[in-house]
Amino acid sequence: MTSRFTELAVDCHDPERLAAFWCEVLDFKAIDRSEGKVEIGSWVPTAEDVRSRQMPPTLLFIQVAEGKTAKNRLHLDVSPIDAGTEDEVTRLLGLGATRTDVGQGPDRNWVVMADPEDNEFCVLRTLAPQN
C-alpha cells in the first residue's frame, strides 16, 4: 500500500484570480472548476497514470473567508527554464507578484516573492542553458 502526492491545496479569497496567476507563472491550464474551487496542472490526472508513476502534483485553489495572518510554513519554489532569474522576476512582477522580505538577508541567490494574495514563493537559479 502506498500513496502519491497528487495536489497541493491553497486557501485563498479569489480562486479564479490566483489560478490565472499561477497558470501564467507555470504554463499550467485549468483542469477542473467547481463552486469556490479551481484546480490547475500540467496534465489531467487519471488513476492509471498516478498508479503507474509519480506525476507532478496539481494546484487546487479553494475559496475561504479568512485572510492570511502569518508567513507561509509551506511555499513553492520555481526555477526559470528559458530566461535568467532577474528576467523571470521582472516577468512575475508584471503578472502581479511582489518582492517580499521574510528575513532572508541580502546575499542570497534566490528571490522571495509573493503572489497576488501574499503567499510567499521563491524564484531560484535559472535552469536555462547558458550560452
Side-chain angles (χ1 to χ4, degrees), residues 53 64 70 94 126 130:
R53 62 193 182 281
V64 296
T126 183
Q130 302 299 310

Side-chain angles (χ1 to χ4, degrees), residues 3-128:
S3 293
R4 296 280 193 263
F5 175 27
T6 57
E7 64 189 37
L8 177 67
V10 179
D11 291 349
C12 60
H13 284 288
D14 188 345
E16 289 290 340
R17 178 178 177 225
L18 211 52
F21 170 82
W22 282 104
C23 279
E24 288 293 322
V25 172
L26 300 170
D27 193 26
F28 279 15
K29 305 286 184 246
I31 58 174
D32 192 27
R33 284 185 165 86
S34 60
E35 177 92 22
K37 295 179 187 176
V38 179
E39 185 176 12
I40 68 171
S42 61
W43 65 295
V44 177
T46 67
E48 294 76 26
D49 285 338
V50 171
R51 279 191 195 102
S52 68
R53 62 193 182 281
Q54 189 75 302
M55 302 296 287
T58 61
L59 295 175
L60 176 64
F61 299 96
I62 303 170
Q63 187 174 37
V64 296
E66 68 273 7
K68 182 176 177 255
T69 59
K71 178 182 168 291
N72 294 359
R73 294 188 67 179
L74 176 73
H75 69 266
L76 300 179
D77 288 342
V78 299
S79 296
I81 59 169
D82 54 11
T85 301
E86 283 305 318
D87 289 336
E88 182 65 354
V89 167
T90 299
R91 183 180 82 89
L92 299 176
L93 290 168
L95 294 175
T98 56
R99 290 180 182 258
T100 193
D101 185 351
V102 294
Q104 69 268 24
D107 297 326
R108 300 288 181 230
N109 62 355
W110 68 88
V111 179
V112 181
M113 302 189 81
D115 70 17
E117 291 204 16
D118 291 327
N119 298 300
E120 296 91 4
F121 67 98
C122 294
V123 180
L124 305 181
R125 71 188 178 287
T126 183
L127 299 177

